Amino acid sequence: MPRELRRLPANHAAAALVLPLLLLAVRAPLRTSARPAPGPDYLRRGWLRLLAEGEGCAPCRPEECAAPRGCLAGRVLDACGCCWECANLEGQLCDLDPSAHFYGHCGEQLECQLDSGSDLSPGEVPEPLCVCSSQRPLCGSDGRTYAQICRLQEVARARPDANLTVVHPGPCESEPQIVSQPHDVWNVTGQDVIFGCEVFAYPMASIEWRKDGLDIQLPGDDPHISVQFRGGPQRFEVTGWLQIQAVRPSDEGTYRCLARNALGQAEASATLTVLTPDQLNSTGIPQLRSWNMIPEEEVDSEENEDYY
C-alpha cells in the first residue's frame, strides 16, 4: 500500500479507493438502453430512435426487417441503409442534414426546410419541417381538387383500393358547392343581423341574395340592407354576407343564398325571426342576445382539409 494511504485512517483510505471508481463510472458512456431525458414528445421520439439504433450498424439482413405499414408519405431507408421505415409527413420535424437520423427524413415530394413562418415569437428558433415541394392545386380522379400533390398522395396511400391518380394540373371543374350555409337567426327589432354563405366552385361562382316572396335581388334600393363579397377563405371559394341593420318586423322571412357558375347552381336558405320588445319580455328571456343556430359539429370542424 502506498505510504500516503498508510498514513490515513481506515475510513479515509477506503474513501480514497472509492473515489477513482466513482470518477470512472461518471466518465463511462451511457448504455444505449438508458431512458431518454424528459422533454417534448418530438424530442423523446428522436432519442428513442437513436437508442434503438445503437452506436453502429449490424450486418444488413433484409429478410429480418419488419415491413412498415400505413406510410402515408412513402418509405425511406433507415440510418444503416438496410431496412425500410415510414417517411415523415408534411408538417413533421425532419433532419436538415441528410446524413443525420434524429427526427427522420421526409417522404416523396417533400423537402426539409426551416419553418420561417410569421407566427414565430421573438427569439424563437425556427424548426426544420417537411414541406411539399409543390403548392399547386390539381384534380384527382375522384373529382376532387387537392391543394397539392402531397395531399393527394396521402389520400391515395390511405385508400389504395380507390386507385386515386392525377387527372390534370389545376382544380377540377365543378358546379357550386355551398361549404358553409347561412343559419336561422332570431333577434329583436332595432338590432343588426348578418347571414353568411361560403361557396366553392371552379370556375369561380357568383353569389346573390334573395328573400322569398320578392322578385328582386337584394339589397335592391333598401338602404338598411347591404351585401358584401370576397374571395376565400380557401382557394376557389367566395364568401357572401347579407346584413340587415335595425331589423323590422317586415324583415322577417326566409333568405336564400344562390351560387352560380357555367356548370350549374346551388342554394341554401335561412329564416329570420324578428321579435318586438313586448314579445321578448313575454318569452321570459332574461338577457337580450342574438342566437345563431349553428350545428356543434361545424364549430369544431377543421379548416384545412385534404381537398377543396
Side-chain angles (χ1 to χ4, degrees):
M1 179 179 296
R3 182 181 304 173
E4 290 78 2
L5 292 182
R6 286 200 299 267
R7 294 177 182 175
L8 295 173
N11 58 342
H12 287 189
L17 290 174
V18 171
L19 182 58
L21 296 176
L22 291 176
L23 291 175
L24 289 174
V26 171
R27 293 177 181 176
L30 293 175
R31 296 176 59 188
T32 56
S33 61
R35 293 183 179 181
D41 183 60
Y42 63 85
L43 287 179
R44 285 199 295 271
R45 290 199 304 270
W47 284 114
L48 288 172
R49 179 193 296 273
L50 293 181
L51 294 175
E53 293 171 354
E55 297 180 357
C57 295
C60 181
R61 297 184 178 89
E63 65 277 6
E64 298 179 0
C65 296
R69 297 181 180 180
C71 300
L72 299 183
R75 302 181 305 169
V76 293
L77 287 172
D78 61 12
C80 296
C82 180
C83 299
W84 292 100
E85 62 182 8
C86 287
N88 291 358
L89 289 164
E90 183 177 18
Q92 289 185 327
L93 291 165
C94 53
D95 295 311
L96 281 173
D97 183 0
S99 63
H101 208 74
F102 185 76
Y103 297 121
H105 294 162
C106 302
E108 185 181 357
Q109 301 285 352
L110 292 163
E111 300 173 352
C112 189
Q113 300 178 7
L114 285 177
D115 180 19
S116 57
S118 58
D119 56 344
L120 292 177
S121 302
E124 187 176 358
V125 178
E127 296 176 325
L129 300 177
C130 293
V131 179
C132 192
S133 57
S134 173
Q135 296 298 323
R136 296 182 178 179
L138 42 84
C139 180
S141 55
D142 56 356
R144 293 172 172 171
T145 298
Y146 290 82
Q148 22 92 333
I149 184 63
C150 301
R151 295 295 185 186
L152 183 142
Q153 288 180 338
E154 288 180 22
V155 176
R157 293 188 178 104
R159 303 200 304 264
D161 296 339
N163 296 320
L164 180 62
T165 59
V166 177
V167 176
H168 60 75
C172 304
E173 290 191 353
S174 68
E175 61 185 21
Q177 304 168 28
I178 296 182
V179 180
S180 178
Q181 63 183 19
H183 301 283
D184 296 340
V185 177
W186 69 260
N187 213 329
V188 72
T189 54
Q191 301 297 314
D192 296 343
V193 167
I194 297 179
F195 291 107
C197 187
E198 295 178 14
V199 179
F200 165 82
Y202 187 81
M204 294 284 287
S206 62
I207 295 179
E208 63 181 57
W209 291 92
R210 293 183 179 271
K211 182 182 179 183
D212 286 355
L214 298 178
D215 294 331
I216 62 171
Q217 178 179 340
L218 298 176
D221 58 357
D222 195 329
H224 86 301
I225 297 179
S226 61
V227 295
Q228 294 181 358
F229 306 97
R230 73 166 177 83
Q234 301 294 335
R235 280 185 289 183
F236 314 115
E237 286 185 2
V238 60
T239 303
W241 294 275
L242 171 70
Q243 182 177 17
I244 306 175
Q245 296 178 317
V247 293
R248 315 161 185 168
S250 59
D251 293 323
E252 189 170 273
T254 300
Y255 293 83
R256 290 183 295 145
C257 163
L258 290 89
R260 293 189 177 95
N261 71 359
L263 301 177
Q265 70 176 37
E267 67 176 72
S269 61
T271 301
L272 170 62
T273 301
V274 180
L275 302 177
T276 64
D278 292 338
Q279 290 174 325
L280 182 68
N281 292 334
S282 66
T283 61
I285 299 176
Q287 184 177 1
L288 171 63
R289 65 185 181 92
S290 298
W291 181 31
N292 295 335
M293 295 187 289
I294 303 176
E296 191 172 317
E297 60 271 15
E298 289 196 16
V299 176
D300 298 332
S301 64
E302 295 288 339
E303 292 185 1
N304 296 324
E305 301 291 343
D306 290 337
Y307 55 87
Y308 295 108

